[in-house]
């Protein structure tokens, strides 16, 4: 129902979230993506309800009849989800950079991520703010994914595999010296 992906900058949190998005698309699942870096207005609880939750919940006829979705209390949204959505029709919300989300929006997420509601949240955050996140979200983390920096050999292997995927060989056009510089500049 709720999972966190943690890691320092550049370890692949957003990439893992992107892969999850692609997987959900191939399976025909309903989902929404929140990336506060690009859409700060999505952090506000009313905007979150209107722009994020409403589109993924639109098949629920009761919600379509609701004219002012922003004014729906979070308990009412949860009740409607539980009563009108089959368990097989689970919905997903994927959120990058959750450290910037206001408490009111966290409260809504906590409430909706309860065991009864057919909605799951996958959230990414930097390791250094993990202990500071609000409320009981850490206790609800079912994934406990911690990404760490790559070693030089892991980075070299990843680049070689990507080059091979596109028909190249080894690390060409790169040299070991170039890769060492890339590794040093990127800090792993």
């Amino acid at each position: 129902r709720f999972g966190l992906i943690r890691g320092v900058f550049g370890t692949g949190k957003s990439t893992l979230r992107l892969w999850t998005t692609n997987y959900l698309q191939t399976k025909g699942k309903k989902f929404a993506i929140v990336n506060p870096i690009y859409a700060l207005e999505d952090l506000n609880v009313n905007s979150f309800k209107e722009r994020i939750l409403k589109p993924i919940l639109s098949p629920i006829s009761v919600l379509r009849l609701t004219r002012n979705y922003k004014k729906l209390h979070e308990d009412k949204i949860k009740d409607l989800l539980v009563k009108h959505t089959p368990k097989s029709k689970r919905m997903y919300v994927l959120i990058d950079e959750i450290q910037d989300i206001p408490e009111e929006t966290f409260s809504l997420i906590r409430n909706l991520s309860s065991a009864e509601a057919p909605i799951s949240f996958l959230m990414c955050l930097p390791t250094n703010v993990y202990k500071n996140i609000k409320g009981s979200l850490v206790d609800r983390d079912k994934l406990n994914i911690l990404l760490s920096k790559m070693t030089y050999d892991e980075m070299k292997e990843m680049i070689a595999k990507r080059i091979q995927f596109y028909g190249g060989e080894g690390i060409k056009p790169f040299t070991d010296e170039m890769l060492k510089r890339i590794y040093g500049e990127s800090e792993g």
Side-chain angles (χ1 to χ4, degrees):
R1 310 253 183 250
F2 180 83
L4 293 171
I5 301 173
R6 302 174 287 136
V8 297
F9 178 77
T11 55
K13 299 178 300 294
S14 296
T15 301
L16 185 54
R17 196 250 329 131
L18 180 62
W19 288 342
T20 303
T21 302
N22 291 339
Y23 174 79
L24 292 172
Q25 280 179 322
T26 63
K27 297 297 181 185
K29 302 292 185 180
K30 295 268 278 167
F31 65 91
I33 299 169
V34 180
N35 192 333
I37 291 173
Y38 303 114
L40 288 172
E41 65 275 7
D42 289 344
L43 298 177
N44 171 281
V45 72
N46 287 332
S47 182
F48 188 83
K49 288 178 189 177
E50 186 70 30
R51 293 170 35 106
I52 304 303
L53 294 179
K54 187 177 181 180
I56 65 170
L57 303 177
S58 62
I60 302 172
S61 60
V62 177
L63 294 177
R64 277 187 270 158
L65 298 173
T66 304
R67 290 178 188 236
N68 196 343
Y69 194 79
K70 288 190 239 180
K71 290 188 178 181
L72 273 179
H73 188 271
E74 59 192 57
D75 288 330
K76 182 67 173 169
I77 295 171
K78 185 169 118 180
D79 288 344
L80 290 170
L81 276 169
V82 171
K83 289 177 185 171
H84 299 284
T85 308
K87 295 277 187 208
S88 62
K89 298 292 183 184
R90 176 161 293 282
M91 291 160 270
Y92 302 87
V93 178
L94 300 100
I95 306 175
D96 250 345
E97 307 298 334
I98 67 166
Q99 68 273 15
D100 298 324
I101 294 178
E103 181 56 42
E104 191 177 15
T105 307
F106 262 114
S107 175
L108 174 63
I109 291 168
R110 270 193 301 273
N111 198 359
L112 293 179
S113 67
S114 71
E116 307 90 39
I119 188 166
S120 294
F121 292 87
L122 176 66
M123 306 175 118
C124 303
L125 77 158
T127 306
N128 62 332
V129 296
Y130 178 69
K131 294 177 183 169
N132 300 329
I133 63 171
K134 302 163 180 90
S136 61
L137 292 179
V138 172
D139 298 335
R140 292 187 185 186
D141 181 8
K142 301 295 183 201
L143 296 175
N144 195 26
I145 296 174
L146 175 60
L147 301 177
S148 58
K149 293 181 179 183
M150 284 191 256
T151 65
Y152 171 76
D153 289 335
E154 290 169 334
M155 184 205 70
K156 184 176 178 179
E157 181 182 352
M158 180 193 68
I159 290 173
K161 286 185 186 281
R162 288 184 179 180
I163 290 171
Q164 289 168 6
F165 179 80
Y166 288 101
E169 289 186 29
I171 59 170
K172 292 178 187 176
F174 298 104
T175 64
D176 273 324
E177 292 77 30
M178 293 168 82
L179 289 182
K180 286 176 183 170
R181 184 169 178 205
I182 291 169
Y183 183 79
E185 294 289 325
S186 67
E187 299 177 12

